[in-house]
Amino acid sequence: MSKQTVKRRTVLDLQKMKESGEKISVLTAYDFPFARLMDQAGIDVILVGDSVGSVVSGYDTTLPVTMEEMLYHTRAVVRGSEQALIVADMPFLSYQIDETEARRNAGLLVKEGGAHAVKLEGGVNVADTIRTIVNMDIPVIGHIGLTPQSVHRMGGYRIQGRAEAQAQQLLADARAVADAGAFAMVLEGIPAALAKEITETVSIPTIGIGAGVDCSGQVLVIHDILGLCDKYSPKFVKRYADISGTIRDGIDAYIREVKDGVFPAEEHSF
Ligand code: KIV
């Protein structure tokens, strides 16, 4: 029997979804099993976020994440998925030095990682970088507002765009990202009214995280929605499950059975 081919989401599908008003669902994944589960559930886009640094590697910020780490996680996610569009984050220092390095690193995420698109943080300041990557025919998602790679400039993970001048700057950033050829942009940690205005201003889809309900779609970190990360939970996270307890119960039971000589039983032995 021939294997049924599954059609992957494309950047064109996301544009159509914005136009038709269908919301775009995005989650992060960093490995094969999570990618497989969310792909089977029908997620539109999987983001291999540099949040991997915080929720998987245990760093305090996303800044230490390297290209090698992003390539490793992107390959695993691509192998675990059939129908979702896979977007790989460009880690800190992979696109800020110069355009040649930015082009090479974006290319590596597609060529060696297997990603279908890349994401990078910034607005007006990275518009030329977005343009040069788009000119290589690599689709780019922008990311403005609370941009975690700018944690030290922002003085912490603070909501952006509350003051009028900051809001105007974010509108300029959104226009610059769209004009540079990005096919979508993440709006993180900004007031809902500003996210609505940006979504109505630019023609490309906006993907919100802590940016209200009027964005074209939503993204969250998988570890946050499943209760797998107890380090810090921002207000914008909704917990849809609490699997830490289930995991701990399983591990407790295993340790007990090993100590008591109950595992392995006869059916597990040869
Ligand atoms: O790294 C990441 O996971 C992200 C999303 C939270 C937008 O950039």
Side-chain angles (χ1 to χ4, degrees), residues 28 30 47 49-51 89 119 121 143 186 188 209 219 221:
T28 67
Y30 319 101
L47 170 66
D50 61 355
S51 51
D89 248 342
K119 175 170 84 60
E121 297 181 8
H143 183 163
V186 169
E188 179 164 356
I209 172 164
V219 58
V221 169

Side-chain angles (χ1 to χ4, degrees), residues 168-246:
Q168 289 307 321
Q169 179 58 51
L170 283 172
L171 271 163
D173 285 334
R175 283 198 201 94
V177 166
D179 289 349
F183 74 95
M185 74 183 77
V186 169
L187 305 180
E188 179 164 356
I190 65 173
L194 177 59
K196 182 171 190 287
E197 190 179 349
I198 291 174
T199 303
E200 288 167 355
T201 300
V202 298
S203 59
I204 59 175
T206 57
I207 310 295
I209 172 164
V213 76
D214 291 309
C215 299
S216 322
Q218 297 291 327
V219 58
L220 282 175
V221 169
I222 186 68
H223 288 58
D224 288 338
I225 72 162
L226 297 182
L228 259 174
C229 196
D230 54 9
K231 260 169 65 177
Y232 167 68
S233 186
K235 174 183 159 136
F236 56 73
V237 168
K238 180 168 176 183
R239 209 166 255 195
Y240 288 84
D242 196 350
I243 63 172
S244 287
T246 310

